[in-house]
Amino acid sequence: MKKVAMGMALALAAAAFAGHPQTINKEGFVGVNKTQSAQSLGHSKLVFTLLGDATFGNDMFPNNDAGYALTEHDLTGQGSDKYAGVADFLGGSAYMGFSIGIWHFFDLGVTIPVYYDQLTADDINGNGAIPATKPGYIGNLKVDLKARFPLPEDQMFDIAVFGGISAGTANATKQGLWVREVEYINRNSGAAMPFGTKNTTIKGGLAVTMDVSKLDGGEGFPFLLHLNGGYRYTTNSDYMSLPFMSAAAEVYFMDFMSVFVEYYWDIQLDDFDFCEPYNTAFATDRCSGKLDMKQLTGALVFHLPVGVDLHIGASYYLGGEKYLTNVAVLENADRTTDESAKQVVTADQIRVNPQYTVYGGLTWSGFLLAQDRDGDGVNDDEDKCPDDVGHRLNQGCPLGNPDADEDGVCDSWVAEKGFESEFTEVCEGVDQCPNEAGEGDDGCPLDEPDADKDGVCDPWVSQKKLSKKFADVCQGIDECPSQAGSPAFNGCPTKQPDPDNDGLCSPWVTDEGVMNEFADVCKGYDMCPGEPGSKANKGCAWDDPDADNDGLCDPWVTEKKMGFYFEKAAEDQAMAQEWFIDKSCKGIDKCPTEFGPAGNEGCPLGDPDTDKDGLCDPWVTEKNMLEQYDGICSGVDKCPTEAGEAFAQGCPMESPDPDGDSLCSPWVTKQKMLDQFKDMCHGYDRCELENGPEWNKGCPIEDDPDPDKDGACSEWVATKKLQKEFAEVCTGIDRCPDEPGDDGHGCPKKAVEKLDGVTFKSGKATLESNAKKILQNVAKKLVSEDSYKDLKIVIQGHTDNKGKEKTNQKLSEKRAKEVMKVLTKAGVKKDRIKAIGMGSSCPVEDNSTEEGREMNRRIEMHFVTPDNDGTKCESNLVQ
């Protein structure tokens, strides 16, 4: 049972997910020592605890002025009381239990304390020393529950209510000396149950925790303050019910180390009153009052990576010189059960809390399920920002403001990370001016619509189709946007055939039919007379040929067959001036609004290794970009969304022994990984999904080696030479495989067979003529029939009681040997048969009649079995 429990514990520990460090208290909840934190364990967190206290010396039982601390009262009246001083005392308390987090707000725990006391007492009055005492036993079983209020996770304070109930599992006959709790003392009689009473105690309280580390977005100082207050109610009014309070502070110096200090106070409301518990002669004026039960505990806690915490510390009693007197701590100190010799040991002075105790122990905790404490859908072990709600495509971290300047145009990172669909209700496009609000499609601020203030709109207003927007400011198209003019002359001071000096005539030249007059100044029709532009673009300035600035040309460049010019403009300044090109590009951008490398046709690249297993997602190879990501990933990942092993082409590794038969699946051998998994399996499993023995190459056994369960093996076991493999199941060969047997060969035991018709001549060992034929048939059965051919037999000869016993004995033996001789000649092997004479010692009928004597003159065939050698008399006749 212990091995099973240990195996289950190890399996849970191996399967559990680690969590951020939390100190665990004696009840298995988040907290320190006896104080509860208002924080909870978390959904599916499993905790095992082994924490405790120990005290040494005799300060719990200081000797009084008379020199003694303990008195053994003889209640029988047959002896005198004994007085003893406490020479030394050792006491220990261990709290073992487990707890589990239920959802995110409830914790449930079970704790069982184990106690041990050891006392050495010196004789004071010469009446004999009180026997040394070494009792130990379990205390009262405790079940606790904590419920945390569902407050926002990012605020500094947590509030929880906690409660519990302790059942009377302590054994009143297993009494110690250290009274663990004040409610274990009967306040009327003074009788104490140091390990616990049979009463039920109910506890309830409130916990408040301040977590400073939650300030500044979780970057605050790692300091926690816990405050507790509550009440313990004992169902038996003869025992104490009392309130309690505690305060504790924790500081996490590092992830793996913290320190805490706790102040704990049991507040006694009622006085004790047991001045005369056993004998008025021992009553004193010190036996009523209240204890001052304040205790200070401090400890260092090491939080190891495997979920194990190591506690090392000590506690100090702050209550001053407060003692109880005449407390009955032991009954039947001499360990007798005789009521006529009953004795009681009382403590003249005793503490409930030792002056000093050593505190320490171990706890283990881990999550059974992967955690997502910020609730963003990304498990904590993969979440780069586990305490902040984030996005799964951003490794669990929060996304920035998609439109920092709030102009409705998305900042460039939105497109780069492929989040356009996530923010369709907030913004669209790519903001070329992300730090200033704009009104255009590119997110940049618009220029002044009428820079020269002549009431005629600058050309860009028309180009961007914003004429209606600025109708109250300006009209038309200003052919001279840099100098004030007249609307009559399209914003120019006077009519000019080519105000922007791009070699193309203003529209009025064509409209008035005077193109010949200005043939030496301009030609053609200028669609944008207020700004210089290329003839190929009808006199208008080019749009941005590379809006996302990734070096690749937007599609319109190719559509207008200008790719050659925009590419060469970077090298040929004269061409750039001729074609009014101020920004070059090359190639075709498949994602003109998103920045992307040329190798990906201008589109943003995704994560080359989504599952972080070192193998590249398929698109890396498809785009011939393996060299670009050298050092980040390699190869091709067949399972790009699941982390896997390289030998499995990036897919999650299968179990090396899925059927648990200790033979390795074929892929282990193929991948040459037998050494890597030598502690789990070996060899080659031909049936990797079916459990089977190694001798059968891992395949299941089709036939049962002992179908009738009689311990004899089926014949195929011998045929396949598998006797050793099934030595613990069966032996030999089962001659009756369809029915259980106990004759040593798998058949039911054969009853004794009387060889009827096998007769002899009177007084001789000579067979009658017909007897030999009968014996030949018997021999044939013994040799050929499966249920007989392996059996050993004993031929017993029997006579009546006529004549001398010695003569009858010899005659019966000769007749038996004669039968054996005939059987062996007929084919029965000599090593199978034995002949004995029984004389008249085993009659089957009454020898007083002729019929009875005839029945007693007989030959019997007995069959040897593991528990019968065939030589015994098997007659039921009662003589």
Side-chain angles (χ1 to χ4, degrees):
M1 190 64 185
K2 291 182 178 179
K3 292 183 178 180
V4 173
M6 181 64 71
M8 291 179 64
L10 291 174
L12 285 171
F17 294 85
H20 61 290
Q22 289 179 306
T23 304
I24 304 299
N25 67 8
K26 288 177 179 175
E27 293 174 353
F29 293 160
V30 183
V32 298
N33 196 27
K34 299 180 181 180
T35 301
Q36 297 288 359
S37 167
Q39 296 177 344
S40 56
L41 292 171
H43 180 43
S44 82
K45 191 171 191 179
L46 180 66
V47 175
F48 292 100
T49 57
L50 178 58
L51 297 172
D53 307 281
T55 186
F56 309 89
N58 65 350
D59 70 293
M60 284 188 68
F61 307 92
N63 298 331
N64 63 16
D65 296 338
Y68 61 87
L70 300 177
T71 302
E72 182 179 274
H73 302 275
D74 187 341
L75 303 184
T76 66
Q78 300 174 4
S80 59
D81 293 343
K82 300 177 183 179
Y83 301 95
V86 176
D88 196 12
F89 175 76
L90 166 65
S93 302
Y95 299 88
M96 301 184 297
F98 70 93
S99 57
I100 189 167
I102 304 172
W103 197 36
H104 295 286
F105 302 105
F106 296 96
D107 298 335
L108 178 66
V110 177
T111 308
I112 185 74
V114 179
Y115 301 131
Y116 176 79
D117 289 352
Q118 179 175 316
L119 171 74
T120 303
D122 295 332
D123 180 18
I124 298 295
N125 62 355
N127 291 331
I130 298 175
T133 304
K134 297 181 181 180
Y137 202 66
I138 63 173
N140 288 345
L141 178 69
K142 300 178 181 179
V143 178
D144 295 281
L145 178 68
K146 180 164 67 177
R148 178 170 66 93
F149 288 20
L151 300 175
E153 296 289 343
D154 57 351
Q155 59 91 40
M156 188 168 56
F157 289 94
D158 286 292
I159 303 174
V161 292
F162 59 89
I165 185 169
S166 69
T169 54
N171 189 337
T173 65
K174 301 287 186 179
Q175 297 181 52
L177 297 162
W178 174 5
V179 183
R180 264 61 179 192
E181 302 290 348
V182 66
E183 59 262 38
Y184 294 168
I185 304 174
N186 188 312
R187 58 183 177 180
N188 298 320
S189 69
M193 300 293 180
F195 292 171
T197 69
K198 287 298 183 180
N199 302 321
T200 298
T201 302
I202 302 172
K203 178 180 71 174
L206 179 71
V208 178
T209 293
M210 180 181 70
D211 188 349
V212 179
S213 67
K214 291 184 179 180
L215 295 175
D216 301 325
E219 299 297 327
F221 184 70
F223 171 80
L224 294 94
L225 179 64
H226 311 293
L227 298 175
N228 284 188
Y231 191 82
R232 293 201 300 273
Y233 172 72
T234 303
T235 55
N236 189 337
S237 60
D238 289 340
Y239 293 83
M240 190 74 65
S241 295
L242 69 164
F244 62 90
M245 63 159 289
S246 66
E250 283 187 272
V251 178
Y252 284 78
F253 292 108
M254 304 176 187
D255 284 345
F256 64 87
M257 183 174 69
S258 65
V259 65
F260 72 79
V261 177
E262 176 198 62
Y263 173 83
Y264 188 89
W265 183 19
D266 278 328
I267 307 168
Q268 185 176 346
L269 300 178
D270 302 322
D271 289 352
F272 291 107
D273 187 13
F274 41 86
C275 292
E276 299 179 6
Y278 300 105
N279 192 325
T280 57
F282 293 95
T284 72
D285 58 1
R286 296 178 296 170
C287 58
S288 65
K290 297 178 181 177
L291 294 176
D292 189 4
M293 294 170 290
K294 302 184 183 76
Q295 194 174 38
L296 187 68
T297 302
L300 187 64
V301 183
F302 296 93
H303 306 275
L304 306 181
V306 292
V308 174
D309 290 356
L310 173 64
H311 297 233
I312 303 174
S315 298
Y316 178 72
Y317 174 53
L318 300 174
E321 297 300 319
K322 294 287 186 178
Y323 301 96
L324 289 173
T325 61
N326 290 345
V327 178
V329 292
L330 284 173
E331 289 189 11
N332 301 331
D334 57 354
R335 299 301 183 264
T336 179
T337 59
D338 185 359
E339 288 294 325
S340 66
K342 185 173 182 181
Q343 297 169 330
V344 173
V345 174
T346 63
D348 183 64
Q349 292 182 345
I350 185 173
R351 297 180 189 272
V352 175
N353 298 102
Q355 187 72 42
Y356 301 96
T357 60
V358 176
Y359 164 82
L362 296 170
T363 66
W364 176 87
S365 59
F367 290 102
L368 300 180
L369 303 175
Q371 296 297 291
D372 178 20
R373 60 178 181 263
D374 56 11
D376 59 6
V378 182
N379 291 337
D380 289 348
D381 55 345
E382 299 176 353
D383 197 333
K384 298 294 185 182
C385 305
D387 296 308
D388 301 303
V389 177
H391 197 282
R392 58 183 178 79
L393 298 179
N394 201 34
Q395 296 181 304
C397 289
L399 297 171
N401 189 339
D403 183 15
D405 54 14
E406 299 183 351
D407 58 6
V409 183
C410 298
D411 292 355
S412 58
W413 67 263
V414 175
E416 291 168 6
K417 290 182 177 290
F419 290 159
E420 296 94 334
S421 60
E422 303 288 335
F423 299 110
T424 52
E425 297 181 1
V426 179
C427 58
E428 58 182 11
V430 179
D431 199 335
Q432 301 298 323
C433 304
N435 297 320
E436 51 183 335
E439 299 178 82
D441 293 339
D442 58 0
C444 292
L446 297 174
D447 296 332
E448 174 65 44
D450 183 15
D452 55 10
K453 308 299 181 184
D454 58 6
V456 184
C457 297
D458 289 357
W460 67 263
V461 175
S462 176
Q463 292 173 6
K464 295 187 176 184
K465 300 178 181 179
L466 296 176
S467 298
K468 290 183 178 180
K469 180 177 180 64
F470 297 110
D472 296 338
V473 179
C474 57
Q475 302 288 331
I477 301 175
D478 197 337
E479 295 183 0
C480 302
S482 60
Q483 58 182 144
S486 170
F489 299 138
N490 296 327
C492 294
T494 60
K495 280 189 175 183
Q496 297 182 16
D498 185 15
D500 54 11
N501 296 312
D502 59 5
L504 293 172
C505 298
S506 291
W508 69 266
V509 175
T510 301
D511 296 341
E512 296 183 7
V514 293
M515 291 190 66
N516 290 335
E517 296 181 16
F518 299 106
D520 56 345
V521 177
C522 58
K523 295 180 181 178
Y525 190 93
D526 197 339
M527 296 293 292
C528 302
E531 58 180 338
S534 169
K535 181 178 181 182
N537 201 33
K538 300 180 181 179
C540 296
W542 299 109
D543 292 334
D544 189 339
D546 181 16
D548 55 10
N549 295 312
D550 57 8
L552 294 172
C553 297
D554 291 354
W556 69 261
V557 175
T558 304
E559 292 168 3
K560 293 189 175 185
K561 300 180 180 179
M562 292 294 296
F564 170 80
Y565 299 96
F566 277 99
E567 180 177 351
K568 294 297 182 182
E571 305 170 357
D572 191 337
Q573 188 63 30
M575 177 183 289
Q577 291 177 354
E578 177 183 355
W579 292 90
F580 295 93
I581 296 173
D582 55 9
K583 186 177 182 181
S584 63
C585 61
K586 62 180 178 179
I588 301 174
D589 195 339
K590 291 292 183 67
C591 302
T593 61
E594 302 175 80
F595 183 91
N600 200 38
E601 298 179 306
C603 293
L605 292 172
D607 189 334
D609 183 12
T610 303
D611 53 14
K612 308 302 179 189
D613 59 4
L615 292 172
C616 296
D617 290 0
W619 66 262
V620 178
T621 301
E622 293 168 2
K623 295 181 181 296
N624 296 318
M625 299 182 71
L626 282 171
E627 292 185 4
Q628 182 174 335
Y629 291 109
D630 186 28
I632 299 176
C633 60
S634 61
V636 180
D637 196 338
K638 292 294 183 66
C639 302
T641 60
E642 300 177 88
E645 300 293 339
F647 69 81
Q649 295 182 299
C651 293
M653 185 178 66
E654 299 175 6
S655 170
D657 181 19
D659 56 7
D661 58 8
S662 299
L663 291 173
C664 296
S665 290
W667 66 262
V668 178
T669 301
K670 293 177 182 176
Q671 297 295 334
K672 299 180 179 180
M673 299 181 71
L674 284 170
D675 288 342
Q676 181 174 336
F677 296 110
K678 63 182 180 181
D679 293 336
M680 299 177 65
C681 61
H682 62 278
Y684 190 95
D685 196 338
R686 293 192 179 277
C687 301
E688 60 178 324
L689 301 179
E690 297 179 90
N691 188 294
E694 182 176 355
W695 58 264
N696 205 34
K697 300 179 180 179
C699 292
I701 304 169
E702 295 180 1
D703 298 321
D704 191 332
D706 183 15
D708 55 9
K709 308 304 177 188
D710 58 6
C713 297
S714 293
E715 188 174 2
W716 66 264
V717 176
T719 303
K720 294 186 177 183
K721 298 179 180 180
L722 298 175
Q723 293 93 332
K724 289 184 179 180
E725 282 74 9
F726 295 110
E728 296 182 1
V729 179
C730 58
T731 58
I733 298 176
D734 196 337
R735 294 306 179 189
C736 301
D738 297 326
E739 58 179 332
D742 52 1
D743 68 348
H745 298 281
C747 293
K749 289 181 180 178
K750 299 287 191 302
V752 176
E753 294 185 13
K754 181 182 177 183
L755 300 182
D756 292 325
V758 179
T759 57
F760 297 85
K761 292 183 178 180
S762 179
K764 297 182 180 181
T766 305
L767 287 165
E768 297 285 359
S769 58
N770 65 330
K772 291 184 179 180
K773 292 183 180 180
I774 294 172
L775 289 177
Q776 287 175 351
N777 289 331
V778 172
K780 183 178 180 181
K781 177 175 69 174
L782 292 175
V783 171
S784 61
E785 292 187 16
D786 285 345
S787 61
Y788 283 91
K789 65 181 181 181
D790 287 324
L791 296 179
K792 291 187 176 183
I793 59 175
V794 175
I795 303 299
Q796 290 187 4
H798 298 269
T799 67
D800 57 25
N801 64 349
K802 293 295 183 178
K804 295 181 179 180
E805 177 60 30
K806 187 173 182 180
T807 302
N808 288 335
Q809 170 65 30
K810 289 182 179 180
L811 178 61
S812 64
E813 184 176 347
K814 288 180 179 180
R815 286 178 172 178
K817 287 183 178 180
E818 182 63 23
V819 170
M820 181 179 73
K821 180 179 178 182
V822 174
L823 291 176
T824 54
K825 284 184 177 181
V828 179
K829 293 182 179 179
K830 290 183 179 182
D831 60 357
R832 290 183 56 196
I833 191 168
K834 179 179 179 181
I836 63 173
M838 303 290 285
S840 60
S841 64
C842 186
V844 293
E845 292 292 342
D846 190 352
N847 275 309
S848 63
T849 64
E850 180 59 34
E851 291 81 3
R853 289 193 292 273
E854 183 178 354
M855 293 293 292
N856 289 334
R857 296 191 295 271
R858 68 194 187 279
I859 295 293
E860 291 179 345
M861 184 165 61
H862 292 243
F863 300 93
V864 177
T865 65
D867 55 358
N868 188 347
D869 62 1
T871 62
K872 300 176 183 178
C873 173
E874 297 190 28
S875 171
N876 294 322
L877 179 66
V878 178
Q879 299 188 63

